[in-house]
Amino acid sequence: MTSFFVLSRPPEGIGDEQYTEWYDVHHREVLELEGFTAAERFPLALHRSSDGATPEFRFLVRYTIDGAMDDALVALRAAVDGGHMTFPDWYDGVQSAGFVGGEPVDFPDR
């Protein structure tokens, strides 16, 4: 299993409630695709920043992929390009970034 992490931020003028309503639909559509087996979504609240900057992302989703990551991402791209995903008219303003997670690294014992 592999994790695919997506950080995102709704566009200006779109509230968290409206964004969440769309994302509830979106993540269900993603989970219908081959390879995507689970999703967890987290709202992010800044606790502190080492450089004083405010991060732009406000949500994190962790998708669990069973099988080849490349195959799952090809299925996702095909669904998007094929018009099989729901996107509101304001979606072009969403800022997002996806990260493929490797194997967890254990901390050394004390």
Side-chain angles (χ1 to χ4, degrees), residues 29 34-35 55 61 89 95 109:
E29 292 173 337
E34 186 73 28
V61 176
D89 58 356
Q95 181 184 20
D109 294 333

Side-chain angles (χ1 to χ4, degrees), residues 20 29 49 58 79 83-84 87 91 94 98 107:
T20 296
E29 292 173 337
S49 172
R58 297 205 328 255
H84 303 290
F87 293 104
Y91 179 77
V94 171
F107 290 105

